[in-house]
Amino acid sequence: MQTAVKAMFVAGACLIAASFSAQAAQTIRLAHTAATSHAHHAAALQFAQNVESRTKGELKVEVYPSGELGDQPALAEQVTMSALDMAVVSLGNMAMYDKKLNAMTAPFLFKSYDQAHQVIDNFVMPWMNKGLASYDAMGLSMFDYGFRQTTTQNVVVNKAEDLKGVKIRVPPATGLLAAFDAIGANTQSIAYSELYTSLKQGVVVGEENPVFTILADSLYETQNQLAMTNHYFDCQVLLINKTVYDGLPKEQQTILKEEAINAQNLTRKMISEGESAVVEELKKKGMNVTYPDRQSFIEKMAPAYEKVAELAGKDAMREVLNAVKATE
């Protein structure tokens, strides 16, 4: 009798423990807009796997790729409104919450991946989070998206003047629009989801994106020229709702931060070290690659910098430029 009672007690204790464990488990939803073949998805999956493993299943991360939960402005809004836990969003899109982030959209800020990484690690992350705090959001790390390049159909680009009058799709990021306006291109605002079709139909002649996106989204099928303009270093913040983050135990917060940096470093490795291989693959796909005169672009950028400074604020623009200068 006593043995039976003891067995029942142990079984009950196990059920209670299992119940508490199930209640303790928490699911975090992480969304991004990159294709599943992109480095960002690989980084998101690594983040999810490592977080779950290190928290022994107490934290699970569900990854929603390819814009399944909306485009980047929508994802940013969802995070700031506590409708989504985490997202990968460009600084250009985050500028709608803190105008100073427009300064990071200035063209030709960085000459190399290494320089960009130094400025991000030493300056951008704390500078950005200070402004986002009032929107219930914070960045855990910064994913590389890569230097943006220019593609066209039948327009060979060796210098800035070659893009004058060319009808090109440019995203709404302040600095990108200002840069192409400054060289006299005919900039067009087209949703990214409509870009491939617009290029195919000749609505626009060109576009600009990192080579990884050009390959992953098959834009090479509509464009036969790739100009390595390196006009903008694109990075995207791994964003988390601050209320969600603050509600976690300290040890789980530490794990999230560490794995966010590990995911960031994976994108850095895949993007910076993999760029040349992607360019070679695009050549095999039929693209002609040119390396335009950088100075011919820089000489025309004064109006672009004035526009960015106007929107970001002159102090913010000065702070960013000083941070870049400190690495030279």
Side-chain angles (χ1 to χ4, degrees):
M1 182 71 177
Q2 287 182 341
T3 303
V5 172
K6 185 177 181 180
M8 290 175 62
F9 177 80
V10 171
C14 289
L15 284 171
I16 292 171
S19 175
F20 275 118
S21 177
Q23 290 175 7
Q26 181 173 343
T27 298
I28 289 177
R29 296 191 305 151
L30 165 58
H32 66 79
T33 58
T36 54
S37 59
H38 195 274
H40 282 194
H41 189 56
L45 292 180
Q46 175 187 285
F47 176 79
Q49 181 179 350
N50 290 354
V51 167
E52 182 171 348
S53 175
R54 291 183 62 188
T55 62
K56 297 179 173 56
E58 291 179 0
L59 268 185
K60 296 179 182 293
V61 181
E62 293 179 350
V63 178
Y64 296 84
S66 306
E68 287 180 10
L69 300 187
D71 59 14
Q72 289 200 6
L75 295 182
E77 183 177 28
Q78 289 175 57
V79 171
T80 59
M81 295 182 68
S82 300
L84 177 65
D85 304 308
M86 297 183 69
V88 181
V89 183
S90 73
L91 290 185
N93 280 306
M94 293 312 299
M96 73 176 80
Y97 300 99
D98 186 0
K99 70 174 188 176
K100 74 180 183 185
L101 294 179
N102 280 305
M104 281 297 293
T105 71
F108 298 99
L109 271 180
F110 306 113
K111 296 177 182 177
S112 68
Y113 281 101
D114 182 61
Q115 184 186 34
H117 295 159
Q118 287 184 57
V119 174
I120 287 167
D121 295 343
N122 299 328
F123 169 74
V124 175
M125 291 302 295
W127 180 74
M128 173 189 69
N129 279 331
K130 184 177 180 181
L132 294 182
S134 58
Y135 292 96
D136 199 23
M138 65 179 288
L140 292 176
S141 66
M142 196 77 72
F143 285 10
D144 269 20
Y145 199 58
F147 277 98
R148 298 181 79 96
Q149 318 297 350
T150 307
T151 70
T152 54
Q153 182 70 7
N154 298 326
V155 178
V156 181
V157 180
N158 287 305
K159 57 186 183 303
E161 289 76 10
D162 294 331
L163 285 167
K164 187 173 183 180
V166 173
K167 191 176 288 188
I168 183 169
R169 182 267 179 182
V170 181
T174 304
L176 287 171
L177 273 174
F180 282 89
D181 284 341
I183 62 177
N186 184 355
T187 55
Q188 301 291 311
S189 179
I190 296 173
Y192 188 77
S193 58
E194 301 171 8
L195 176 57
Y196 183 93
T197 302
S198 297
L199 291 168
K200 195 78 171 176
Q201 295 176 347
V203 175
V204 286
V205 176
E207 61 85 46
E208 56 77 59
N209 259 302
V211 294
F212 300 88
T213 303
I214 295 165
L215 179 63
D217 292 352
S218 303
L219 297 179
Y220 58 84
E221 295 176 350
T222 70
Q223 306 275 273
N224 57 18
Q225 301 293 320
L226 169 61
M228 300 295 287
T229 44
N230 287 314
H231 54 273
Y232 175 63
F233 177 76
D234 205 342
C235 55
Q236 305 193 349
V237 59
L238 180 59
L239 194 70
I240 189 168
N241 176 269
K242 199 167 186 308
T243 297
V244 168
Y245 179 81
D246 288 344
L248 297 173
K250 292 293 183 183
E251 57 270 25
Q252 291 186 0
Q253 291 180 355
T254 298
I255 289 171
L256 283 183
K257 279 188 174 181
E258 290 176 353
E259 291 307 328
I261 295 297
N262 289 336
Q264 165 192 279
N265 291 341
L266 178 62
T267 68
R268 290 182 177 184
K269 182 178 178 62
M270 293 180 72
I271 299 283
S272 63
E273 294 182 13
E275 187 174 77
S276 59
V278 174
V279 172
E280 289 304 311
E281 184 64 24
L282 289 171
K283 286 181 181 178
K284 292 177 184 177
K285 299 288 188 184
M287 298 197 83
N288 175 57
V289 180
T290 60
Y291 293 84
D293 175 20
R294 179 182 174 91
Q295 193 60 32
S296 71
F297 285 84
I298 291 175
E299 288 173 353
K300 297 179 181 295
M301 288 301 108
Y305 270 75
E306 288 176 8
K307 180 66 174 177
V308 173
E310 176 186 328
L311 291 171
K314 291 182 179 179
D315 288 343
M317 191 73 254
R318 190 179 305 111
E319 288 173 344
V320 169
L321 292 176
N322 286 340
V324 173
K325 188 175 181 179
T327 65
E328 294 176 346

